[in-house]
Amino acid sequence: MSPVTPPPDAEERRRRKVVITYPNGTLPPPDLAMLADVRRGATLVGETIVAPREGGAFDVPRGHFFRIVSVEGPQVGDLNLFNAANLQERFFSGKTRAIHATHVSTGDRLWSTLPYLRPMATITEDTLGWYGWDEDGGGIHDVIGTRCDPYTTKLLSGATFHHNCHSNLSRALAAARGMPVREAELLVHDVMNVFMCTGFTLDTHQYFMKASPVRPGDYIEFFADIDLLGVLSACPGGDCGADQYGEPARCYPLKVEVWRPDAAFLAAYQPPPVSSYDRTHGLG
Ligand SMILES: [Zn+2]
């Protein structure tokens, strides 16, 4: 902040009432009890292991559940989500943050990009839901980070860093859809930082990370509102407890499970429609 002389009514101006920018009470809450019931009758139909410091992709048909599980040791994951049939519709981290909060948990939804803006996935369970907010202002599963990437590392430290989440997501997406990596790279987007403990420092409001409280057996589970292609990177930061430019962190795999509900539920399931905003009025 620049040292400008404050006006005489500075304190009064600062005391203005906080207004929630996007009151979300107009949104029908997900029926978590119904989803828990459906989940109880579901069958495990797929399992993907994402190796440490690598990426992996997985398909989740609409109406199914997917669970990201900590195995072997504390590890955070960078998650991208796409509409499996239209890669232009992807997870919108910024609007998800604006609608819900900086960190997401059970009952929150992951929203898709404009002009679609609909729930892609709904969080149905989170074993780290107990964490809440710590005294540093940190929380779990943020939608404020972007993903570690080689360009920012080059910018800040001059180092070359190949197995970062941005590149892992790009390679995994390219392999899953048979496209050139450079084309896939342009579709990779800001992530949901699964299991990561982050916040903004109380004094300078800088983005920080600290060692994740995740332990083997912890998981976060999602309901797939639409047909999804998920891409996950097991971040080279491991539990992200150390300076990302320092010593290599200890890293562990992440497991993704896909669960299929019973046939009657799937037959009746209708995905949410894309935004009903009529673009012909405002955008021609
Ligand atoms: Zn990373």
Side-chain angles (χ1 to χ4, degrees):
M1 293 277 191
S2 53
V4 175
T5 311
D9 64 344
E11 277 317 303
E12 192 191 324
R13 292 195 208 178
R14 284 201 180 96
R15 279 196 298 268
R16 301 309 295 267
K17 191 164 140 280
V18 164
V19 179
I20 296 297
T21 311
Y22 290 98
N24 61 17
T26 50
L27 297 171
D31 189 345
L32 292 175
M34 180 275 288
L35 290 173
D37 220 45
V38 171
R39 173 65 181 79
R40 271 190 288 277
T43 314
L44 181 66
V45 291
E47 213 170 79
T48 302
I49 298 288
V50 179
R53 301 185 182 86
E54 297 287 350
F58 51 96
D59 277 286
V60 192
R62 67 178 83 168
H64 289 49
F65 294 80
F66 69 101
R67 186 182 271 204
I68 300 175
V69 189
S70 166
V71 288
E72 297 184 29
Q75 174 66 45
V76 312
D78 288 48
L79 178 67
N80 266 195
L81 289 179
F82 298 87
N83 173 344
N86 170 19
L87 300 185
Q88 294 301 329
E89 182 177 8
R90 49 204 155 179
F91 171 52
F92 192 171
S93 159
K95 197 62 83 181
T96 298
R97 177 193 325 141
I99 290 176
H100 295 298
T102 53
H103 298 69
V104 290
S105 187
T106 308
D108 292 332
R109 292 171 162 128
L110 304 190
W111 295 84
S112 66
T113 44
L114 308 183
Y116 311 101
L117 197 64
R118 60 174 163 175
M120 305 184 83
T122 300
I123 303 174
T124 50
E125 263 199 275
D126 173 14
T127 65
L128 293 175
W130 56 267
Y131 192 90
W133 303 107
D134 63 34
E135 59 187 15
D136 296 311
I140 313 300
H141 310 303
D142 77 73
V143 286
I144 52 179
T146 48
R147 61 199 172 275
C148 57
D149 73 88
Y151 307 100
T152 309
T153 302
K154 184 82 184 174
L155 175 75
L156 298 179
S157 76
T160 296
F161 173 37
H162 294 309
H163 279 264
N164 52 77
C165 290
H166 173 79
S167 303
N168 290 344
L169 292 168
S170 302
R171 284 188 287 260
L173 174 62
R177 284 297 185 263
M179 61 170 70
V181 180
R182 294 215 177 171
E183 196 179 305
E185 179 185 17
L186 303 179
L187 296 169
V188 168
H189 47 276
D190 285 353
V191 300
M192 171 179 167
N193 273 316
V194 175
F195 303 140
M196 193 167 176
C197 182
T198 60
F200 294 110
T201 56
L202 301 173
D203 49 359
T204 60
H205 291 240
Q206 283 176 289
Y207 183 49
F208 73 77
M209 57 186 189
K210 57 194 272 189
S212 171
V214 71
R215 296 293 178 268
D218 277 318
Y219 62 86
I220 184 165
E221 188 174 270
F222 305 80
F223 175 74
D225 293 286
I226 64 172
D227 289 322
L228 292 176
L229 170 65
V231 192
L232 182 69
S233 167
C235 183
D239 71 357
C240 291
D243 179 351
Q244 63 172 316
Y245 305 118
E247 289 297 298
R250 222 173 240 252
C251 293
Y252 301 94
L254 288 169
K255 183 169 75 166
V256 182
E257 297 172 350
V258 177
W259 292 77
R260 184 175 62 213
D262 68 68
F265 172 80
L266 288 177
Y269 179 72
Q270 290 293 328
V274 299
S275 171
S276 59
Y277 172 66
D278 182 357
R279 281 193 283 170
T280 55
H281 293 307
L283 294 169

